């Protein structure tokens, strides 16, 4: 499936699902259990081809695109778990990748599936024992695989059905070309070769020429992922509060000029109409609006007559405006490629841009996936409070009024002003005019309260385990807090003293009145828990954090991560302390 096709699928309510790809019910259940909702582009492209089983496959895709599941799912579907033959051999450039691939496969495999890892640095004796247990799938690095094939003769791959080269360009970079070619000589003629590579340098083309005959190619275009000019952030909101949240965010921006992406045409119509009724210069476009109208809208948007364009992915295709200040994901797209494509509309031509996503509980997994793909954390910001929005609007009114008074041109309504001032004191008259002109805009009654969707108990919070939300870190509860004289610095000191050693990287720390939380690296967390358990088996002072608290505490962020599942989102208070600074006139949220 091409990029364009993928986008089309996005917009038509008939999104590609895993079921569409021809996978079995059993596998679909596993996919759902794993939390994958929609296939990624490489999965949508590769899985049906591989299930059809007619040709070899070349997949041009990088890590993070979901390529492992793209080949693993069909391979597992076709696996004979009763057979004693190695049916699949997967070569990966590094042991880390090999382990990752094996883990991903295991997570979808049926009971009885035996997967053996072979990589340098691992005890060969263990590998030999593993191979004796007749695995059906072997994942390894080329050097060690050659070792088993040629020196030890412990690996038999003459009945192989699938030969997978994962990250082939990396393997060539490391210098595994000859090893790979030698391994291929041991494979049977009747097998499928699957080659995945982010790039297609000459070395890869040579391999394709020599060893891959009739094949399909699936190419996943990777957009520029880390455009430093785009500031990415998100707000966690309940679905029902999204519109209110959106208004707050837009209202505290001086010069908002951007595209707002919605999932469905209905959403586009709904959000555009509501924004319009709030007085914004906005229009919506989607596939049901005729071409002429769409072109008109686009022309108005390009000219700046419309400041907000509400759109579906397909309708926004081809929009080429260089000075957009914002891209808003009113809903997250169904896969990371579309996300990067969307946000790439801002931060162009050297301009700064902001990409803002509204995420509700159901988007938590998608957000993690996007973060893994873009290899970046998306900062969670606190929504502006009602009073902040009002303050901001008042300030804007003051600035604009000052500008008009100091401006060169004369003002239009001086005669009317004189008449009005006849009616009462200047203060009273102005108050009446403001009320007439602005209605309830400066009143809190104009806004709805909204609550943060704090995802408690969702996959992001990690359930019972002290999950910190940061890979490799765990969140610990310490039954001592501010009242016991703790601050982030001496909490670390205290823990180090107790374990008699240094802690590695420390994550978020939250010191509350009577207790605290600290995010530690996995091994450190284990060590600390062990020590405190030994001291008091019944009621240890430090335990695994079960769930997040919602109070604000003194917090210090050692990892640079913030809020939400990465720690607390902080309490309501302390606006002054945390107050968002202004940059370019706009409110930028708390940081
Ligand atoms: P890969 O490119 O295979 O290394 O995958 C990158 C990450 O995306 C892995 O952590 C996968 O678990 C995850 N992933 C792969 N496919 C999906 C999907 N369809 N939905 C959500 N996450 C996925």
């Amino acid at each position: 499936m091409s990029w364009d096709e993928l986008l089309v699928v996005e917009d038509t309510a008939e999104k590609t699902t895993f079921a569409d790809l021809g996978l079995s019910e059993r596998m679909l259940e596993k996919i759902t259990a794993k939390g994958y909702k929609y296939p990624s582009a490489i999965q949508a492209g590769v899985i049906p081809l591989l299930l059809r089983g007619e040709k070899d496959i070349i997949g041009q895709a990088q890590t993070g695109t979901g390529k492992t599941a793209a080949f693993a799912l069909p391979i597992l579907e076709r696996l004979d778990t009763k057979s004693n033959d190695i049916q699949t051999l997967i070569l990966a450039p590094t042991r880390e990748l090999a382990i990752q691939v094996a883990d991903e496969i295991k997570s979808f495999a049926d009971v009885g599936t035996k997967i053996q890892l072979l990589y340098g640095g691992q005890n060969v004796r263990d590998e030999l024992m593993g191979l004796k247990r007749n695995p059906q799938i072997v994942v390894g690095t080329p050097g060690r695989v050659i070792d088993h094939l040629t020196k030890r003769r412990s690996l038999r791959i003459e009945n192989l059905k699938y030969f997978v080269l994962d990250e082939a360009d990396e393997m060539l970079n490391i210098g595994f070309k000859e090893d790979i070619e030698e391994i291929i000589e041991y494979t049977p003629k009747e097998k499928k070769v699957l080659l995945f590579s982010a790039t297609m340098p000459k070395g890869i083309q040579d391999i394709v020429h020599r060893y891959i005959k009739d094949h399909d190619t699936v190419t996943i275009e990777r957009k520029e992922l880390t455009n430093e000019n785009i500031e990415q952030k998100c707000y966690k909101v309940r679905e029902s509060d999204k519109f209110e949240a959106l208004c707050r965010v837009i209202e505290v921006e001086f010069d908002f000029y951007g595209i707002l992406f919605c999932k469905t045409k209905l959403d586009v119509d709904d959000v555009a109409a509501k924004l319009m009724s709030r007085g914004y210069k906005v229009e919506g476009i989607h596939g049901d609006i005729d071409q002429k109208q769409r072109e008109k809208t686009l022309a108005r948007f390009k000219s700046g007559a419309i400041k907000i364009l509400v759109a579906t992915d397909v309708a926004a295709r081809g929009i080429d405006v260089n000075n957009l200040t914002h891209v808003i994901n009113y809903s997250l797209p169904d896969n990371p490629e579309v996300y990067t494509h969307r946000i790439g509309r801002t931060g162009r031509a050297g301009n700064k841009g902001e990409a803002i996503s509204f995420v509700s509980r159901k988007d938590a997994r998608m957000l993690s996936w996007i973060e893994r793909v873009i290899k970046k954390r998306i900062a969670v910001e606190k929504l502006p409070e009602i009073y902040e929005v009002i303050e901001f609007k008042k300030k804007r009114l003051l600035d604009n009024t000052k500008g008009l008074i100091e401006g060169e041109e004369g003002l239009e309504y001086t005669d009317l002003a004189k008449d009005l001032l006849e009616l009462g004191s200047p203060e009273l008259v102005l108050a009446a005019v403001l009320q007439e002109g602005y209605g309830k805009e400066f009143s809190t009654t104009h806004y709805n309260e909204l609550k943060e969707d704090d995802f408690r108990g969702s996959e992001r919070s990690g359930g019972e385990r002290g999950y910190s939300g940061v890979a490799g870190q765990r969140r610990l509860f310490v039954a001592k807090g501010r009242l016991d004289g703790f601050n982030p610095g001496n909490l670390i000191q205290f823990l180090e003293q107790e374990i008699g050693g240094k802690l590695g990287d420390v994550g978020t720390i939250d010191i509350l009145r009577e207790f605290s939380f600290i995010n530690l690296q996995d091994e450190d967390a284990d060590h600390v828990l062990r020590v405190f358990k030994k001291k008091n088996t019944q009621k240890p002072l430090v335990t695994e954090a079960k769930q997040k608290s919602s109070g604000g505490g003194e917090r210090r962020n050692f990892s640079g991560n913030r809020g939400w599942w990465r720690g607390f989102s902080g309490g309501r208070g302390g606006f002054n302390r945390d107050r968002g600074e202004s940059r370019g006139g706009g409110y930028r949220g708390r940081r």
Side-chain angles (χ1 to χ4, degrees):
M1 178 182 285
S2 74
W3 175 252
D4 275 358
E5 278 165 329
L6 182 78
L7 291 180
V8 172
V9 170
E10 276 278 295
D11 193 44
T12 55
E14 318 141 24
K15 279 181 216 100
T16 305
T17 62
F18 279 106
D20 296 334
L21 305 182
L23 293 160
S24 67
E25 278 303 320
R26 192 175 38 94
M27 190 57 84
L28 292 176
E29 278 167 26
K30 292 195 166 119
I31 292 169
T32 309
K34 175 116 184 184
Y36 291 5
K37 266 167 82 183
Y38 293 99
S40 69
I42 190 83
Q43 290 161 2
V46 166
I47 292 173
L49 292 174
L50 203 42
L51 286 175
R52 221 175 291 148
E54 287 162 7
K55 297 180 185 172
D56 290 347
I57 289 177
I58 297 175
Q60 191 167 355
Q62 307 182 3
T63 296
T65 51
K67 65 180 163 53
T68 315
F71 64 77
L73 299 179
I75 285 176
L76 285 169
E77 289 276 29
R78 300 285 180 254
L79 196 76
D80 179 358
T81 46
K82 304 225 170 56
S83 160
N84 280 341
D85 290 333
I86 294 173
Q87 296 155 52
T88 296
L89 172 62
I90 300 163
L91 296 183
T94 63
R95 63 187 235 179
E96 287 75 20
L97 189 71
I99 294 170
Q100 216 171 289
V101 168
D103 284 347
E104 181 86 348
I105 299 177
K106 269 181 213 153
S107 70
F108 294 108
D110 274 340
V111 182
T113 308
K114 283 170 275 174
I115 304 166
Q116 180 60 44
L117 272 163
L118 305 175
Y119 55 77
Q122 183 174 232
N123 189 331
V124 181
R125 273 230 312 270
D126 292 346
E127 291 183 353
L128 290 171
M129 275 180 19
L131 287 171
K132 284 216 173 90
R133 283 196 290 267
N134 301 319
Q136 300 101 1
I137 299 177
V138 169
V139 188
T141 49
R144 185 56 76 93
V145 168
I146 279 281
D147 198 42
H148 280 283
L149 270 178
T150 58
K151 261 216 245 129
R152 297 172 199 275
R153 300 190 178 277
S154 41
L155 184 63
R156 314 284 308 245
I157 52 173
E158 62 268 19
N159 291 326
L160 210 60
K161 287 191 189 142
Y162 297 101
F163 179 55
V164 185
L165 294 163
D166 197 6
E167 303 211 352
D169 49 355
E170 276 304 306
M171 289 201 276
L172 259 52
N173 285 343
I174 296 173
F176 281 139
K177 184 154 189 261
E178 272 104 58
D179 286 354
I180 292 172
E181 288 176 337
E182 196 175 346
I183 295 167
I184 296 179
E185 299 299 335
Y186 281 80
T187 62
K189 235 176 159 224
E190 288 308 308
K191 64 172 181 298
K192 291 275 164 292
V193 182
L194 317 176
L195 180 146
F196 290 87
S197 191
T199 56
M200 291 287 160
K202 181 154 182 323
I204 299 287
Q205 287 172 26
D206 286 350
I207 291 188
V208 171
H209 253 73
R210 290 184 58 188
Y211 303 104
I212 302 182
K213 301 273 149 29
D214 194 13
H215 64 266
D216 283 314
T217 304
V218 181
T219 303
I220 302 306
E221 239 185 87
R222 196 106 190 252
K223 298 283 147 189
E224 202 182 348
L225 293 185
T226 46
N227 178 347
E228 295 302 327
N229 283 332
I230 308 174
E231 188 186 343
Q232 299 177 59
K233 58 190 187 188
C234 63
Y235 294 102
K236 47 173 190 154
V237 289
R238 296 185 304 189
E239 278 298 318
S240 54
D241 285 337
K242 268 192 184 169
F243 184 73
E244 181 71 22
L246 169 71
C247 290
R248 288 196 195 178
V249 168
I250 297 177
E251 276 171 9
V252 293
E253 292 291 344
F254 261 130
D255 295 310
F256 187 97
Y257 181 33
I259 308 181
L260 193 146
F261 285 96
C262 291
K263 210 165 234 158
T264 65
K265 298 164 189 167
L266 272 179
D267 286 344
V268 168
D269 288 338
D270 182 49
V271 175
K274 284 204 241 152
L275 284 173
M276 210 175 288
S277 74
R278 286 234 184 181
Y280 291 105
K281 293 177 186 154
V282 54
E283 272 179 45
I285 50 168
H286 55 62
D288 283 355
I289 295 172
D290 75 73
Q291 185 65 22
K292 265 219 178 90
Q293 181 60 36
R294 276 204 258 173
E295 281 168 15
K296 273 191 194 158
T297 301
L298 282 184
R300 277 201 293 274
F301 183 56
K302 278 188 181 171
S303 74
I306 297 169
K307 292 292 184 194
I308 308 173
L309 184 72
V310 187
T312 55
D313 289 295
V314 170
R317 214 178 319 155
I319 293 182
D320 200 17
V321 185
N322 273 341
N323 53 342
L324 296 183
T325 60
H326 287 79
V327 164
I328 294 198
N329 294 301
Y330 193 68
S331 311
L332 283 183
D334 292 326
N335 70 57
E337 286 101 349
V338 179
Y339 174 86
T340 55
H341 192 64
R342 282 182 180 183
I343 72 166
R345 297 270 180 23
T346 185
R348 286 187 174 184
N351 295 320
K352 293 264 175 227
E354 262 186 49
I356 295 174
S357 303
F358 291 99
V359 284
S360 64
R361 177 181 303 255
K362 66 180 178 45
D363 299 316
R365 267 183 208 276
M366 181 51 65
L367 190 64
S368 316
W369 189 15
I370 290 172
E371 287 179 330
R372 280 200 298 273
V373 170
I374 63 173
K375 298 196 166 66
K376 247 191 196 166
R377 282 272 168 186
I378 298 175
V380 181
E381 299 284 340
K382 196 133 180 62
L383 278 166
E385 301 280 354
I386 294 173
Y387 70 92
E388 293 168 53
V389 174
I390 294 175
E391 284 305 312
F392 184 85
K393 282 180 146 184
K394 285 183 185 165
K395 179 160 186 325
R396 184 158 51 189
L397 176 66
L398 280 171
D399 288 349
N400 290 349
T401 310
K402 193 162 172 254
L404 286 173
I405 292 171
E406 290 169 357
E408 303 281 287
E409 305 105 59
L411 291 170
E412 289 236 353
Y413 301 123
T414 43
D415 287 342
L416 180 60
K418 277 182 203 147
D419 291 346
L420 285 165
L421 283 170
E422 298 288 314
L423 301 176
S425 72
E427 198 178 291
L428 202 63
V429 170
L430 204 49
V433 171
L434 284 173
Q435 192 164 320
E436 169 71 16
Y438 286 90
K440 297 223 178 287
E441 262 195 59
F442 297 117
S443 156
T444 50
T445 57
H446 184 62
Y447 302 87
N448 296 322
E449 278 295 343
L450 41 82
K451 269 200 189 141
E452 274 191 352
D453 199 354
D454 81 353
F455 292 36
R456 189 166 300 156
S458 72
E459 57 279 16
R460 271 282 189 171
S461 70
E464 286 296 294
R465 206 139 189 253
Y467 183 66
S468 66
V470 180
Q473 282 191 14
R474 296 232 303 279
R475 187 160 178 77
L476 302 187
F477 170 85
V478 183
K480 283 193 183 295
R482 225 173 18 243
L483 286 186
D484 305 286
F486 271 106
N487 59 40
N490 63 17
L491 174 61
I492 295 176
Q493 262 176 14
F494 167 72
L495 294 179
E496 288 184 338
Q497 224 166 19
E498 293 295 314
I499 62 170
K502 286 267 166 226
L503 293 168
D505 279 351
V506 175
T508 306
I509 297 179
D510 295 289
I511 309 283
L512 289 105
R513 231 172 94 85
E514 289 169 50
F515 49 88
S516 312
F517 292 90
I518 182 165
N519 285 3
L520 294 181
Q521 295 297 315
D522 257 343
E523 315 89 83
D524 283 340
D526 279 339
H527 193 174
V528 169
L529 290 171
R530 250 195 333 269
V531 168
F532 281 93
K533 179 103 185 147
K534 234 189 212 160
K535 282 183 193 290
N536 186 342
T537 45
Q538 294 303 311
K539 223 174 156 217
L541 185 75
V542 181
T543 50
E544 198 115 30
K546 285 213 172 93
Q547 61 174 35
K548 290 170 292 166
S549 151
S550 58
E554 182 189 342
R555 65 193 304 251
R556 200 164 124 204
N557 201 328
F558 285 80
S559 58
N561 297 314
R562 141 194 41 212
W564 204 359
W565 52 87
R566 292 158 211 162
F568 289 124
S569 51
R572 284 263 178 254
F575 173 60
N576 286 335
R577 178 166 46 88
D578 291 345
R579 186 170 200 133
E581 84 259 32
S582 277
R583 177 158 59 75
Y587 173 89
R588 297 284 160 169
R590 295 171 178 189
R591 8 197 106 240

